[in-house]
Amino acid sequence: YLLQAYFQLEKEEAEQIVAAFHSWDVDGDGSLDFDEFREMTAYSNPALPPKTMMKIYKAATPETPDGGSQLNVLKFSQVTRCG
């Protein structure tokens, strides 16, 4: 019973994380660019210094072939659960 309850909580947490991700993915492309990430972070933690915000984003996002970077839902979930 406890194991079943644990997995239910895990499932609900995952669903909440995915829903939060999609609510901040303004352009609906399946990833958060820095502007979307900045808006989310400023809303959830307005005292976070911009330099720290940039460090978190860079650490969480691999660079794309064109030199950009985007935060996908999987990495967002990992960062959210750690943080």
Side-chain angles (χ1 to χ4, degrees):
Y1 175 75
L2 286 175
L3 192 56
Q4 183 181 10
Y6 172 78
F7 285 122
Q8 181 61 33
L9 286 174
E10 284 286 310
K11 180 182 176 202
E12 290 172 8
E13 179 185 19
E15 289 170 352
Q16 291 172 349
I17 290 170
V18 169
F21 176 87
H22 288 298
S23 71
W24 289 104
D25 181 17
V26 177
D27 62 9
D29 69 352
S31 63
L32 299 182
D33 61 26
F34 183 71
D35 290 335
E36 293 165 328
F37 178 80
R38 185 186 63 223
E39 290 293 319
M40 176 197 66
T41 306
Y43 177 81
S44 62
N45 188 354
L48 189 68
K51 276 188 166 182
T52 303
M53 188 184 309
M54 179 59 87
K55 284 181 185 179
I56 293 169
Y57 186 78
K58 284 188 175 200
T61 56
E63 196 169 292
T64 60
D66 65 356
S69 58
Q70 296 181 326
L71 184 61
N72 65 33
V73 71
L74 178 61
K75 194 65 173 178
F76 178 79
S77 175
Q78 292 169 346
V79 169
T80 303
R81 288 176 178 226
C82 289

